[in-house]
Amino acid sequence: MTFKIPISVLVVVHTPQLQVLLLERADHPGYWQSVTGSQNEGEALEQTAMREVLEETGLDTRHHCLTDWHLHNEYEIFPEWRWRYAPGVMYNTEHVFGLLVSGPVEIRIAQREHLGFNWLRWDEAAQRCFSWSNAAAIRKLGRASS
């Protein structure tokens, strides 16, 4: 088994009007989040962000504005997901990116990863996220635009 690297990206996909894309996890119905994913061996963080956005939404970041927010969070990996990592790995470092799209564009979700998607106003999206770091990133987006 190849273990996941405990370094990941969080990509907040949003419109100029601060509508934020959230995806519902297939493995946890009712858990809503932005695009996330672990870094692959030898991959730059921006490449990880580009790959994860394409895999999870069908969006090609080259047609939109991807930015590194130079923000990272460290958090404890949920116990039910630790088996994906090498023995003893308990923490993940998440790097935050934003993807500005022109409007609430059509999304092609990864069926095995997500059940659906929703475009929500930033404050509603932050409230719906199950992850504190995801909610904090969305709130940061809302505050920066106020």
Side-chain angles (χ1 to χ4, degrees):
M1 171 181 198
T2 303
F3 294 113
K4 291 179 94 168
I5 298 171
I7 299 170
S8 66
V9 296
L10 167 71
V11 184
V12 178
V13 181
H14 65 93
T15 69
Q17 296 78 30
L18 302 186
Q19 292 175 288
V20 174
L21 173 69
L22 289 186
L23 305 166
E24 184 178 16
R25 292 186 67 102
D27 60 356
H28 276 280
Y31 278 38
W32 290 85
Q33 66 181 47
S34 293
V35 171
T36 63
S38 293
Q39 187 178 41
N40 287 340
E41 189 71 39
E43 195 174 49
L45 289 169
E46 184 175 4
Q47 291 172 310
T48 304
M50 294 171 74
R51 175 180 53 77
E52 289 293 341
V53 168
L54 184 61
E55 289 175 5
E56 295 187 13
T57 68
L59 294 175
D60 184 340
T61 58
R62 295 174 299 174
H63 302 294
H64 306 284
C65 183
L66 180 68
T67 56
D68 184 343
W69 288 7
H70 302 285
L71 173 68
H72 67 275
N73 303 296
E74 184 171 286
Y75 59 84
E76 189 172 348
I77 299 165
F78 286 124
E80 67 260 33
W81 292 326
R82 286 189 196 146
W83 63 270
R84 299 174 180 173
Y85 300 86
V89 172
M90 295 183 58
Y91 292 91
N92 183 72
T93 302
E94 170 186 80
H95 297 267
V96 183
F97 288 77
L99 182 67
L100 177 62
V101 298
S102 60
V105 295
E106 189 59 33
I107 301 302
R108 179 180 38 84
I109 60 169
Q111 295 291 326
R112 55 179 225 287
E113 286 191 58
H114 300 107
L115 299 175
F117 70 92
N118 210 337
W119 288 97
L120 299 168
R121 203 174 67 216
W122 72 269
D123 52 340
E124 294 170 351
Q127 287 179 351
R128 185 162 308 175
C129 287
F130 79 95
S131 160
W132 67 266
S133 63
N134 197 163
I138 293 170
R139 287 187 188 102
K140 181 177 175 70
L141 172 70
R143 283 192 306 271
S145 299
S146 311

